[in-house]
Amino acid sequence: MRKSHQLIGTDYRPLISQHKDELVLRKQSYGQYHKPADYLDSFKDFIAHNVNQSVALSVVSIAPKT
């Protein structure tokens, strides 16, 4: 904690404002999807349709052969 206080108001991290912070809104969003499951289903479809288009996707989504 002391280390973080040392950085406040320095040339590295200048103090820009004196006002107190206030949380105005907290919102969890899944983009155009209404539920986490909708987002996950869309991601699963994305992987299935693009696995052959990207080497990185194929590496992380296909289990190694044993």
Side-chain angles (χ1 to χ4, degrees):
M1 185 80 154
R2 184 186 321 163
K3 186 176 183 179
S4 66
H5 286 296
Q6 291 172 349
L7 296 176
I8 297 173
T10 64
D11 288 338
Y12 178 68
R13 292 189 186 233
L15 188 60
I16 298 172
S17 176
Q18 297 289 337
H19 74 275
K20 187 174 182 175
D21 291 335
E22 175 185 1
L23 178 62
V24 178
L25 174 70
R26 182 189 179 281
K27 180 179 178 183
Q28 184 152 353
S29 173
Y30 298 98
Q32 65 188 15
Y33 309 103
H34 300 288
K35 302 179 292 189
D38 297 337
Y39 174 82
L40 294 173
D41 288 342
S42 174
F43 186 70
K44 180 180 173 184
D45 290 341
F46 172 82
I47 297 297
H49 290 100
N50 292 289
V51 71
N52 293 324
Q53 305 299 318
S54 168
V55 174
L57 282 179
S58 65
V59 167
V60 298
S61 63
I62 297 175
K65 296 177 182 176
T66 57

